[in-house]
Amino acid sequence: MGDRLAWFEDGSRRPATKNLVKGDRVYGERLVYLDGEEYRLWNPYRSKLSAALLKGLKQMPIREGTKVLYLGASTGTTVSHVSDLVGDEGIVFAVEVSPRVMREFIERVAKKRGNVVPILEDARKPLEYPSVFTKVDVVYCDVAQADQTEIAIENSKVYLRRHGYLMLIVKARSIDVTKKPSFIFEREVEKLKRSGFEIIQIVSLEPYDKDHALILARRQ
Ligand code: SAM
């Protein structure tokens, strides 16, 4: 399996993903060419997964052929890069609760990418997804809700294969504005451990995203 993630250097070093839809830009990102192949520069101020890579994420479980359940698709900035990474052999089930946002997501991303399955549902009700027909290798959760860790755990119970990975974006301020972010990150980590996850890494997303962290965990 090839690697669809590259690092582009032009003074600074930035991640880029091999474009699945040649010539297409999703959010005004720059197209660059490496070894004759087209890549999209991945902006860390627009996508927390790019920020995590730049902040030293040690393992990247999303690669060619990976099946991903993505919670909180929004208008698809990060989903589009995940779709690039998994390529034609992989699949991204993308859940979004807002019909208005979902319409934009379909126009900008899902319509053009055969490996993206849009799901207009509430991530709190994983049993109601109509079209997730397989277990997945990775659950990615970025719903920015106070119960985001519980949402990630419930979805993982239903869809994540054994030894699969959870990538959880924790926005401390969505959970409790009165507590220090480091306290909240630790508390969410404990919830994951109690639910049978091994914690691989906690990556602070500063300075790209204030008070955010990505927790990479693995299901036992
Ligand atoms: N992951 C996106 C990206 O990087 O491009 C940004 C996601 S944004 C922080 C959070 C999204 O989660 C919003 O679009 C919101 O509508 C969606 N959301 C919030 N609660 C949800 C729920 N219960 N089920 C599904 N989506 C939800």
Side-chain angles (χ1 to χ4, degrees):
M1 285 201 243
D3 201 350
R4 301 181 56 92
L5 174 67
W7 289 87
F8 184 74
E9 314 231 6
D10 63 347
S12 64
R13 188 168 176 269
R14 280 171 291 168
T17 58
K18 196 185 273 187
N19 199 353
L20 195 69
V21 186
K22 297 284 167 280
D24 191 54
R25 287 167 221 251
V26 176
Y27 58 100
E29 71 280 16
R30 212 174 114 202
L31 302 180
V32 295
Y33 296 87
L34 299 165
D35 296 331
E37 297 279 359
E38 184 177 285
Y39 285 75
R40 297 190 300 129
L41 273 190
W42 196 354
N43 187 334
Y45 291 97
R46 302 286 301 274
S47 170
K48 295 169 204 111
L49 188 47
S50 172
L53 286 165
L54 278 160
K55 289 296 307 287
L57 182 68
K58 286 188 296 201
Q59 282 183 38
M60 179 46 154
I62 301 175
R63 51 178 86 108
E64 191 155 19
T66 306
K67 300 186 188 84
V68 181
L69 174 60
Y70 191 111
L71 310 173
S74 188
T75 55
T77 300
T78 301
V79 172
S80 69
H81 287 285
V82 171
S83 155
D84 281 351
L85 290 175
V86 305
D88 287 323
E89 302 297 311
I91 191 158
V92 188
F93 300 102
V95 180
E96 171 55 52
V97 75
S98 155
R100 184 191 56 77
V101 173
M102 179 51 100
R103 267 197 299 280
E104 200 178 325
F105 173 69
I106 289 172
E107 275 310 305
R108 289 210 310 172
V109 175
K111 220 163 82 174
K112 303 175 190 164
R113 293 170 173 265
N115 64 3
V116 173
V117 180
I119 300 173
L120 178 61
E121 283 291 342
D122 183 346
R124 292 190 180 91
K125 300 176 185 160
L127 293 173
E128 292 184 15
Y129 305 159
S131 41
V132 187
F133 51 79
T134 173
K135 290 269 179 191
V136 299
D137 307 298
V138 175
V139 170
Y140 185 99
C141 180
D142 182 19
V143 289
Q145 298 292 312
D147 58 341
Q148 58 203 355
T149 304
E150 287 76 9
I151 289 175
I153 290 169
E154 286 311 308
N155 278 266
S156 299
K157 279 185 193 159
V158 182
Y159 296 109
L160 186 60
R161 68 164 168 81
R162 265 196 91 203
H163 303 315
Y165 292 87
L166 170 63
M167 305 181 91
L168 174 62
I169 302 291
V170 182
K171 181 180 178 186
R173 301 204 160 273
S174 296
I175 296 180
D176 190 340
V177 282
T178 66
K179 301 254 170 12
K180 271 177 71 179
S182 56
F183 171 84
I184 291 173
F185 299 149
E186 257 332 294
R187 202 177 59 186
E188 304 310 297
V189 157
E190 287 310 315
K191 288 181 194 168
L192 293 176
K193 285 184 183 163
R194 280 199 300 276
S195 300
F197 284 92
E198 171 202 350
I199 306 302
I200 297 172
Q201 194 182 1
I202 305 165
V203 186
S204 156
L205 303 185
E206 305 260 0
Y208 304 106
D209 277 287
K210 196 168 163 4
D211 299 335
H212 281 69
L214 181 148
I215 301 175
L216 175 64
R218 189 164 188 228
R219 193 178 165 182
Q220 315 258 288

